[in-house]
C-alpha cells in the first residue's frame, strides 16, 4: 500500500511538472506588457486585477498572470471564508511583479439549513452570487462541480448567479436552491435540474484538502431598530443596525452605510426605514417604523362675547402641541402661541369673527373661530314739545285787615289788656282778706 501510494504521488508530481512547464510557455508576457507572479496561501485562493477575475492558484499556491498593462493596478487576493487582502502594485513593461500573501481564516461555522449548487462547465471561471464585483465571488467552478468531493453549499433561496473570467461572462441567470437538494447549473446548455444532496451538518466556512474542497456560504442577515419608536414632531429617534455576511448595506432615507452602526433621525412624518443587506448569501430587508405625533390643540375665546357700543372685549388664545409652530389670528396677523389682547368696540349692530390658525413643520394643522357681537347703545327718548304758557287770570285784590283805633300794634294792646286784668284780680283778692 505504501509503495502504491508513493507511485501515485510520483505520477501526480510528474503530471504537475508537465503542466507547469506547459503553462510557463503559454504565460510569457506579450511585448510591451507586464506579468504578475504570485504565491499565496491558501492554495485555492483567487486573483482579481482591477475587479476582474484572473484565475485561481494551482495545487502549490502559485499563479502567473501575463499581459498586464504597465502602470498601477489594484490586485485582490480572495478566498471565501478568509479575510481578503488588497494591494496597489506598479507594473513595468517586459517585467514581472512578484506578490506573496497569506490570508487569515474567519472563525465560526455556518448554521443550516443548506442546499448545494453544482456548476458544470468553465471550471476555471469564478462563481458570483447576487452581485458583479469580487466581493460577491464565492468559488471557482472547480470547487463546486462535485468532482473529488468539491461542494458549494448555500442557504435555500433564489440567487442571481454568474460565471465570469476576465471581461467575459460565460453564464448568468436565476438559480433556486432547495434545502437538502443539489441544483445543477450547466453553463453550456443553460439548464438546471434538482437532485437530492443528502444530509448537511453545520460545517465551517471553508475547508480543503488534496483534490477536495467545501465552500459554505452563510445566510446574509440584517437587523434594524428605532428607539424610541414613537416621537413628537421635532424630536429624534436613534436607528441602530447590523448585518452578517453582507457585501453592500444601505438604509432608505440615509443611503449607503457600514455593515453596522447607528444614526439619529428626525423625521417630519411617520416613516418606515428599510435596510437592504445584500451578499452572496441572499438579501435581507428588515424595517423599522418611527411614528411621529404631529397633532396640535388650540383654544380661542372672546370675553364678553357681546358688548354694547362703546365698550371693550378681551380675545384670548392658546396653541399647544409638538414642534415649532406658526400661529396667526385673523384679523390681527401673526401672534405668539398663547396670549390675549383687548379690543375696543368702535361701532355697533354687527358681528366680528376671529380666526386662529396654527401649523407645525410636520404637517399639523388646526383652526379655531370665535365671534364678538357688538350692540349699538339705546338712544335717549325724544323731549316733548314746549306748550305755550296759559294767560293767568287776574288775581283778586288782597283784603285789608281791620285797623285798630290806635296806632299801637294789636299785640301790644292785647298784652296791655291782659296785664290790666291781672292787676284787677290782685286788688279783688286783697279786699277779701
Amino acid at each position: 500500500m505504501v509503495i502504491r501510494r508513493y507511485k501515485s504521488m510520483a505520477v501526480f508530481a510528474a503530471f504537475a511538472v508537465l503542466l507547469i512547464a506547459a503553462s510557463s510557455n503559454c504565460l510569457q508576457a506579450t511585448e510591451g506588457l507586464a506579468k504578475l507572479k504570485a504565491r499565496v496561501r491558501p492554495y485555492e485562493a483567487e486573483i482579481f486585477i482591477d475587479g476582474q477575475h484572473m484565475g485561481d492558484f494551482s495545487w502549490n499556491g502559485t499563479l502567473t498572470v501575463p499581459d498586464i498593462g504597465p502602470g498601477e493596478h489594484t490586485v485582490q487576493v480572495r478566498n471565501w471564508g478568509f479575510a481578503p487582502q488588497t494591494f496597489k502594485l506598479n507594473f513595468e513593461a517586459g517585467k514581472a511583479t512578484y506578490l506573496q500573501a497569506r490570508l487569515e481564516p474567519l472563525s465560526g461555522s455556518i448554521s443550516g439549513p443548506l442546499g448545494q449548487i453544482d456548476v458544470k462547465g468553465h471550471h476555471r471561471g469564478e462563481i458570483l452570487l447576487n452581485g458583479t464585483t469580487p466581493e460577491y465571488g464565492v468559488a471557482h467552478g472547480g470547487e463546486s462541480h462535485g468532482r473529488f468531493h468539491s461542494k458549494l453549499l448555500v442557504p435555500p433561496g433564489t440567487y442571481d448567479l454568474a460565471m465570469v473570467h476576465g471581461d467575459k461572462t460565460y453564464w448568468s441567470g436565476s438559480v433556486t436552491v432547495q434545502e437538502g437538494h443539489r441544483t445543477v447549473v450547466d453553463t453550456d446548455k443553460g439548464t438546471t435540474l434538482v437532485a437530492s444532496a443528502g444530509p448537511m451538518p453545520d460545517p465551517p466556512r471553508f475547508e480543503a484538502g488534496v483534490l477536495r474542497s467545501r465552500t459554505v456560504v452563510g445566510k446574509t442577515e440584517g437587523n434594524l431598530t428605532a428607539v424610541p419608536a414613537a416621537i413628537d414632531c421635532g424630536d429624534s429617534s436613534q436607528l441602530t443596525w447590523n448585518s452578517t455576511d453582507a457585501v453592500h448595506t444601505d438604509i432608505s432615507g440615509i443611503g449607503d452605510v457600514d455593515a453596522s452602526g447607528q444614526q439619529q433621525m428626525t423625521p417630519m412624518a411617520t416613516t418606515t426605514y428599510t435596510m437592504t443587506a445584500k451578499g452572496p448569501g441572499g438579501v435581507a430587508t428588515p424595517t423599522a417604523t418611527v411614528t411621529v405625533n404631529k397633532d396640535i390643540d388650540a383654544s380661542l375665546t372672546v370675553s364678553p362675547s357681546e358688548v354694547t357700543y362703546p365698550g371693550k372685549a378681551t380675545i384670548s388664545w392658546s396653541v399647544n402641541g409638538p414642534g415649532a409652530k406658526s400661529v396667526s389670528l385673523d384679523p390681527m396677523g401673526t401672534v405668539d402661541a398663547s396670549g390675549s389682547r383687548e379690543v375696543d368696540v368702535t361701532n355697533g349692530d354687527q358681528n366680528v369673527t376671529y380666526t386662529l390658525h396654527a401649523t407645525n413643520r410636520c404637517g399639523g394643522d388646526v383652526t379655531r373661530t370665535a365671534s364678538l357681537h357688538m350692540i349699538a347703545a339705546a338712544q335717549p327718548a325724544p323731549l316733548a314739545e314746549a306748550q305755550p304758557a296759559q294767560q293767568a287770570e287776574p288775581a283778586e285784590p288782597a283784603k285789608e285787615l281791620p285797623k285798630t283805633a290806635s296806632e299801637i300794634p294789636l299785640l301790644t294792646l292785647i298784652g296791655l289788656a291782659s296785664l290790666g286784668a291781672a292787676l284787677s284780680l290782685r286788688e279783688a283778692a286783697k279786699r277779701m282778706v
Side-chain angles (χ1 to χ4, degrees):
M1 294 291 294
V2 175
I3 295 175
R4 180 180 299 173
R5 176 183 175 189
Y6 281 121
K7 285 183 178 180
S8 298
M9 293 180 63
V11 171
F12 180 78
F15 179 70
V17 170
L18 291 175
L19 287 177
I20 294 173
S23 61
S24 63
N25 292 329
C26 298
L27 296 177
Q28 297 298 322
T30 303
E31 185 177 356
L33 299 177
K35 62 183 176 181
L36 171 68
K37 287 189 173 183
R39 179 183 293 272
V40 304
R41 299 291 186 276
Y43 294 159
E44 298 79 12
E46 318 275 334
I47 281 282
F48 292 83
I49 299 180
D50 296 334
Q52 292 185 346
H53 180 255
M54 302 307 295
D56 58 276
F57 289 88
S58 62
W59 62 277
N60 65 349
T62 62
L63 177 66
T64 299
V65 182
D67 299 340
I68 301 173
E72 185 179 79
H73 295 273
T74 300
V75 178
Q76 288 181 300
V77 181
R78 309 184 67 88
N79 194 91
W80 186 259
F82 290 76
Q85 292 187 18
T86 302
F87 305 89
K88 293 287 188 180
L89 300 179
N90 189 53
F91 292 85
E92 296 184 33
K95 294 184 178 180
T97 297
Y98 295 86
L99 173 65
Q100 291 191 9
R102 180 180 292 274
L103 305 183
E104 295 297 326
L106 301 176
S107 61
S109 60
I110 302 300
S111 298
L114 296 168
Q116 181 179 343
I117 296 177
D118 185 347
V119 182
K120 296 185 177 298
H122 304 287
H123 294 159
R124 299 270 67 86
E126 177 73 358
I127 300 173
L128 305 178
L129 295 179
N130 295 327
T132 60
T133 60
E135 292 79 8
Y136 293 94
V138 294
H140 61 75
E143 293 175 307
S144 74
H145 58 60
R147 295 184 188 176
F148 309 112
H149 306 287
S150 295
K151 294 182 179 180
L152 171 60
L153 305 180
V154 299
T158 299
Y159 299 85
D160 292 326
L161 186 149
M163 174 69 77
V164 300
H165 180 70
D167 59 356
K168 297 183 177 62
T169 298
Y170 298 120
W171 189 89
S172 64
S174 179
V175 176
T176 300
V177 179
Q178 300 179 24
E179 178 183 352
H181 286 70
R182 179 168 62 98
T183 298
V184 181
V185 180
D186 190 322
T187 60
D188 292 324
K189 298 179 181 179
T191 59
T192 64
L193 61 90
V194 178
S196 176
M200 297 179 183
D202 295 349
R205 294 173 181 269
F206 182 83
E207 59 180 359
V210 178
L211 298 178
R212 67 178 180 85
S213 67
R214 181 164 60 181
T215 304
V216 186
V217 177
K219 183 178 180 180
T220 301
E221 296 180 313
N223 183 60
L224 177 65
T225 59
V227 178
I231 62 173
D232 286 335
C233 175
D235 291 344
S236 297
S237 177
Q238 179 168 283
L239 292 183
T240 302
W241 66 90
N242 57 72
S243 61
T244 304
D245 288 331
V247 170
H248 178 260
T249 307
D250 66 71
I251 298 176
S252 60
I254 300 178
D256 293 347
V257 295
D258 293 335
S260 61
Q262 58 186 23
Q263 184 167 326
Q264 292 284 338
M265 303 299 293
T266 308
M268 295 296 101
T270 296
T271 303
T272 297
Y273 296 93
T274 300
M275 172 185 178
T276 301
K278 185 179 180 182
V283 180
T285 56
T287 62
T289 299
V290 178
T291 302
V292 178
N293 173 30
K294 64 179 182 179
D295 294 338
I296 302 176
D297 187 27
S299 64
L300 175 65
T301 60
V302 179
S303 180
S305 60
E306 189 171 86
V307 176
T308 300
Y309 166 77
K312 295 180 182 293
T314 300
I315 315 300
S316 300
W317 67 93
S318 178
V319 177
N320 300 296
K325 293 171 284 294
S326 175
V327 184
S328 65
L329 179 57
D330 183 47
M332 298 179 182
T334 301
V335 295
D336 294 334
S338 61
S340 62
R341 189 171 297 181
E342 190 175 68
V343 295
D344 292 323
V345 177
T346 58
N347 51 29
D349 292 332
Q350 64 173 325
N351 291 323
V352 177
T353 299
Y354 295 91
T355 301
L356 179 70
H357 185 213
T359 61
N360 62 21
R361 60 179 180 169
C362 295
D365 193 309
V366 65
T367 299
R368 296 286 185 267
T369 61
S371 295
L372 172 61
H373 184 201
M374 300 179 181
I375 304 174
Q379 297 295 324
L383 296 176
E385 293 184 3
Q387 298 292 328
Q390 294 182 353
Q391 186 69 31
E393 295 181 1
E396 294 181 0
K399 295 181 179 181
E400 296 184 358
L401 292 177
K403 294 184 179 180
T404 61
S406 176
E407 294 295 326
I408 300 173
L410 179 61
L411 290 177
T412 303
L413 293 175
I414 293 173
L416 292 175
S418 297
L419 179 60
L423 291 176
S424 297
L425 288 175
R426 182 179 176 183
E427 290 294 329
K430 284 180 178 182
R431 289 190 188 103
M432 290 180 66
V433 173

